[in-house]
Amino acid sequence: MWPYLDKAICAAIRQTTEPIVADYVGQGHRPIEAITFETLSLGTLPPIFQGIKVYETDENQLVMEPAIKWAGNPNIVIVVKISFLRIKIQLVDLQVFAVPRVTLKPLVSAFPCFANVVVSLLEKPHVDFGLKVLGGDVMSIPGLYPLVQDIIKKEVAKLYLWPQTLQIPILDSSLGAVKKPVGVVHVKVIRATKLMKMDILGLSDPYVKLKLSGEMLPSKKTTIKKKTLNPVWNENFKLVVKDPQAQTLQVNVFDWDKVGSHDRLGMQVVPLKILQPNETKELTLDLLKNTNVTDPLKKQQRGQIMLEVTYAPFREDSDVVTGTLNTPTTKENGAGFSGETPIGAGVLLVTVQGAEDVEGEHHNNPYAVIIFRGETKKTKIIRKSRDPKWNEEFQFMLEEPPIHDKIHIQIMSKRTRMSFYSKESLGHVVINLADVVYNGRINNKFHLIDSKNGLVHVELRWRET
């Protein structure tokens, strides 16, 4: 891990020191023109862990409190430029002893298996080091060493003493970090004009598919308008947004065909970053064959499509409830912590993390079935496991909070070879959603009904727009 951490920590140091250094540049009788790192590396010697405490949580993270001692060989040289002088300051003989709280999150499949390191200090650290300027030892000046030590301890504590944190990104989000939904994009497909002719009568049977980039979910589809080149839909759709700065709305217009594949009449993309929160934007888009700028047929007239697009970010998360429950508790007075009953539309997010101690009589190939308002969704099958890990998220778009609803989650096992017993139930749980609405988020392990010791780990979120 150390080469990864060395690179990430040095990047964080540069970012943190930039605003501090800026305060000194241009100040004084002979102003400092620049303060830069000539070299910045933490060296090849990693810290030594003299003891460690690990906390068990229901979150997708690892929380540790290690006792760290580091007598490293860093190569840190700072250059201070004053007029025609270039003064080099070198850090030497660095020793650090600290007890930080280190959180690795979220846990991902790509090496080194976590996307971010979040660090905070539980107490002021012990730091010992020397400074050399042009080969001379600055710390030998009487009274300077204890003064610098005290300043550093106070500044570090002010920045990172718990609950203040330092977050160090290790992996790019595209390499496996799971982004949480942050809002909903409302899309109204109004109409299209002057579409391409696809059948022998000079007409088409158009429909539209909508999808957000980076999502594996099925596309949203309009109805099919038969025998027209100027279809009118006026149909509304909602898509869950995870990264409004990077994601795009992909719009594809197809010609329906009873036999064979459907021909694409044209397409366009809408970057979500052009949308202002909660402001409706009317768009008239020229349909293209594709996004390849070198395609000679790209400029061929394919008609236009008219949309109304609105990005509605979620409200901030409320309190969080975690634990291991038989059934979730409910409020006696039917009101949330704020005393107000949620009334707006939103998204119910159901993440089935995994299960524990599930055992079938005939086979153990578990998968989870989520049933809500007559809609059924399934996780993948994990073969030959009593402790499956799925970490799969499912979304339910709702026009009102599911205060009076329940969600049913059943753990099933399915045979993977010829057997008389094709399926069997390994237990189930029914969860009241009132607590989820009022709390905003619940992350629990629920005891499975009809299972001896089985648990299912579910995270439920209600995100209101």
Side-chain angles (χ1 to χ4, degrees):
M1 290 167 50
W2 184 241
Y4 289 90
L5 291 173
D6 178 17
K7 183 178 179 181
I9 293 172
C10 288
I13 290 173
R14 290 181 184 272
Q15 184 177 7
T16 303
T17 55
E18 280 181 3
I20 299 174
V21 167
D23 293 338
Y24 293 94
V25 174
Q27 301 296 321
H29 175 65
R30 288 194 173 182
I32 297 174
E33 296 181 10
I35 302 176
T36 58
F37 286 101
E38 183 176 87
T39 57
L40 177 57
S41 171
L42 300 183
T44 58
L45 299 177
I48 296 173
F49 289 77
Q50 295 185 314
I52 189 168
K53 182 187 294 183
V54 180
Y55 291 89
E56 181 179 350
T57 76
D58 290 340
E59 306 297 325
N60 185 28
Q61 62 186 20
L62 178 62
V63 181
M64 305 175 291
E65 288 179 4
I68 298 177
K69 185 175 182 180
W70 182 38
N73 57 343
N75 184 13
I76 302 175
V77 178
I78 299 173
V79 177
V80 180
K81 186 176 181 182
I82 304 175
S83 299
F84 59 88
L85 294 176
R86 291 181 78 254
I87 304 173
K88 291 187 178 182
I89 303 173
Q90 184 179 16
L91 180 72
V92 295
D93 300 329
L94 177 64
Q95 294 187 41
V96 178
F97 180 79
V99 183
R101 174 169 291 172
V102 181
T103 304
L104 311 179
K105 68 175 185 179
L107 304 180
V108 297
S109 57
F111 186 80
C113 302
F114 53 89
N116 295 282
V117 179
V118 180
V119 182
S120 59
L121 297 172
L122 300 181
E123 57 187 42
K124 292 182 180 180
H126 172 75
V127 182
D128 191 9
F129 63 94
L131 290 177
K132 290 185 177 180
V133 177
L134 299 176
D137 189 355
V138 176
M139 287 309 195
S140 63
I141 299 175
L144 181 60
Y145 178 76
L147 176 62
V148 172
Q149 285 278 40
D150 188 55
I151 291 174
I152 287 177
K153 288 182 180 180
K154 286 181 179 179
E155 290 300 315
V156 171
K158 184 169 64 177
L159 288 173
Y160 305 123
L161 198 61
W162 193 88
Q164 302 296 326
T165 62
L166 167 66
Q167 182 160 324
I168 304 169
I170 302 297
L171 293 178
D172 186 83
S173 59
S174 63
L175 298 178
V178 179
K179 286 181 177 277
K180 293 291 184 183
V182 296
V184 173
V185 61
H186 300 258
V187 183
K188 183 176 182 179
V189 182
I190 302 173
R191 64 182 180 273
T193 57
K194 298 180 181 180
L195 296 178
M196 295 183 68
K197 304 171 184 178
M198 298 303 292
D199 61 25
I200 58 176
L201 299 178
L203 298 171
S204 295
D205 301 321
Y207 69 95
V208 180
K209 294 174 70 173
L210 303 172
K211 189 174 184 178
L212 290 179
S213 60
E215 286 289 349
M216 302 300 293
L217 299 173
S219 299
K220 305 283 187 179
K221 298 181 183 179
T222 67
T223 56
I224 301 168
K225 300 299 180 182
K226 294 295 187 72
K227 302 186 184 307
T228 178
L229 301 181
N230 300 285
V232 177
W233 287 285
N234 286 321
E235 297 179 20
N236 294 287
F237 301 91
K238 299 176 183 177
L239 299 93
V240 176
V241 178
K242 294 182 178 178
D243 190 344
Q245 292 302 310
Q247 284 185 291
T248 59
L249 173 66
Q250 300 174 348
V251 183
N252 287 278
V253 184
F254 286 89
D255 173 53
W256 179 83
D257 199 336
K258 184 181 295 184
V259 180
S261 61
H262 301 175
D263 297 317
R264 187 163 70 179
L265 300 175
M267 59 86 64
Q268 257 296 0
V269 293
V270 180
L272 298 188
K273 64 182 179 181
I274 70 171
L275 305 176
Q276 295 297 321
N278 299 314
E279 290 185 10
T280 300
K281 195 175 187 67
E282 297 180 358
L283 301 172
T284 300
L285 307 173
D286 292 324
L287 293 173
L288 308 174
K289 180 184 178 183
N290 52 51
T291 56
N292 183 3
V293 295
T294 62
D295 193 326
L297 297 178
K298 183 182 178 182
K299 295 183 179 180
Q300 181 181 1
Q301 294 296 321
R302 293 175 173 268
Q304 294 181 323
I305 187 168
M306 278 65 88
L307 308 173
E308 288 183 0
V309 186
T310 308
Y311 170 58
F314 290 136
R315 297 181 183 179
E316 293 297 322
D317 278 337
S318 300
D319 294 339
V320 177
V321 176
T322 61
T324 303
L325 303 178
N326 289 302
T327 54
T329 58
T330 56
K331 306 279 186 301
E332 293 181 1
N333 60 3
F337 291 142
S338 63
E340 298 179 358
T341 301
I343 58 174
V347 182
L348 176 65
L349 301 166
V350 182
T351 303
V352 184
Q353 303 282 9
E356 300 174 13
D357 294 325
V358 291
E359 187 171 4
E361 294 184 11
H362 307 286
H363 42 71
N364 263 83
N365 304 305
Y367 63 98
V369 180
I370 300 92
I371 304 171
F372 178 67
R373 291 189 177 181
E375 189 174 355
T376 300
K377 299 185 178 184
K378 300 178 182 179
T379 67
K380 60 180 176 289
I381 296 175
I382 306 296
R383 294 188 59 188
K384 297 181 180 179
S385 175
R386 296 183 64 232
D387 302 294
K389 302 296 181 186
W390 294 291
N391 194 25
E392 294 187 36
E393 182 183 87
F394 303 92
Q395 305 169 356
F396 299 91
M397 306 289 301
L398 305 175
E399 294 300 326
E400 72 285 326
I403 297 174
H404 304 293
D405 286 278
K406 298 179 180 180
I407 191 166
H408 183 273
I409 299 176
Q410 187 165 15
I411 309 302
M412 299 290 295
S413 178
K414 185 177 182 180
R415 72 181 184 189
T416 56
R417 55 184 177 83
M418 293 298 295
S419 170
F420 180 76
Y421 302 96
S422 61
K423 294 182 182 179
E424 63 176 306
S425 174
L426 307 183
H428 69 276
V429 66
V430 179
I431 305 171
N432 294 315
L433 296 179
D435 276 357
V436 180
V437 174
Y438 291 127
N439 287 295
R441 173 175 175 256
I442 287 181
N443 185 17
N444 285 328
K445 292 180 180 179
F446 297 93
H447 290 283
L448 291 168
I449 301 171
D450 296 332
S451 175
K452 186 177 180 181
N453 298 307
L455 299 171
V456 61
H457 183 187
V458 183
E459 180 185 2
L460 299 141
R461 287 177 177 264
W462 169 248
R463 303 303 306 271
E464 190 173 326
T465 58

